[in-house]
Amino acid sequence: QVQLVESGGGSVQAGGSLRLSCALSGHTFSLYYMGWFRQAPGKEREGVAAIERDGSASVADTVKGRFTIARDNAKNTLYLQMNSLKPEDTAMYYCAADWELPRWRKQFDPKEYRYWGQGTQVTVSS
């Protein structure tokens, strides 16, 4: 059974940084396509970044230039480095995984991911 556990969330002031981590257990991490999503209260879950098995990454336009996704297959861990945080980045952040590649241009569609973590809260104050 694949399990995902996020960590690294917290409260920061605008302009600050956080690094989120997501540990995958129960299967071989390197076989999975991974993504980060976030959901603010009253809003739909949105894709933030995604990364393929070989490390090829894509980042949503809303966070491009500020967020970086990375994976360490040796440590079975996914990361999201978040810099220049803004109050609108406040949300619950989730990591997600699937062994199948997303459909074309659907890497930020939550329906493309089979496994989800419980989330870690990020709060950015102005």
Side-chain angles (χ1 to χ4, degrees), residues 5-70:
V5 178
E6 302 95 335
S7 61
S11 297
V12 296
Q13 290 191 328
S17 297
L18 284 173
R19 188 177 80 156
L20 306 183
S21 299
C22 171
L24 184 149
S25 62
H27 210 266
T28 305
F29 175 75
S30 61
L31 297 178
Y32 285 81
Y33 190 100
M34 305 293 297
W36 283 104
F37 290 77
R38 67 185 182 185
Q39 189 167 18
K43 294 188 176 182
E44 292 187 353
R45 191 168 296 191
E46 65 168 342
V48 173
I51 189 165
E52 299 188 27
R53 301 181 187 96
D54 65 359
S56 301
S58 55
V59 180
D61 289 342
T62 52
V63 301
K64 194 165 290 184
R66 300 188 297 121
F67 290 13
T68 303
I69 187 172

Side-chain angles (χ1 to χ4, degrees), residues 1 20-21 25 70 91-92 94 107 117:
Q1 180 73 13
L20 306 183
S21 299
S25 62
M92 185 72 79
Y94 300 89
Q107 69 268 33

Side-chain angles (χ1 to χ4, degrees), residues 80-109:
L80 184 68
Q81 178 66 45
M82 305 186 294
N83 299 328
S84 303
L85 283 161
K86 304 176 181 180
E88 51 263 44
D89 294 320
T90 295
M92 185 72 79
Y93 283 71
Y94 300 89
C95 71
D98 204 296
W99 63 75
E100 293 182 352
L101 289 176
R103 290 170 293 167
W104 176 247
R105 295 186 177 179
K106 295 292 187 181
Q107 69 268 33
F108 297 141
D109 185 344

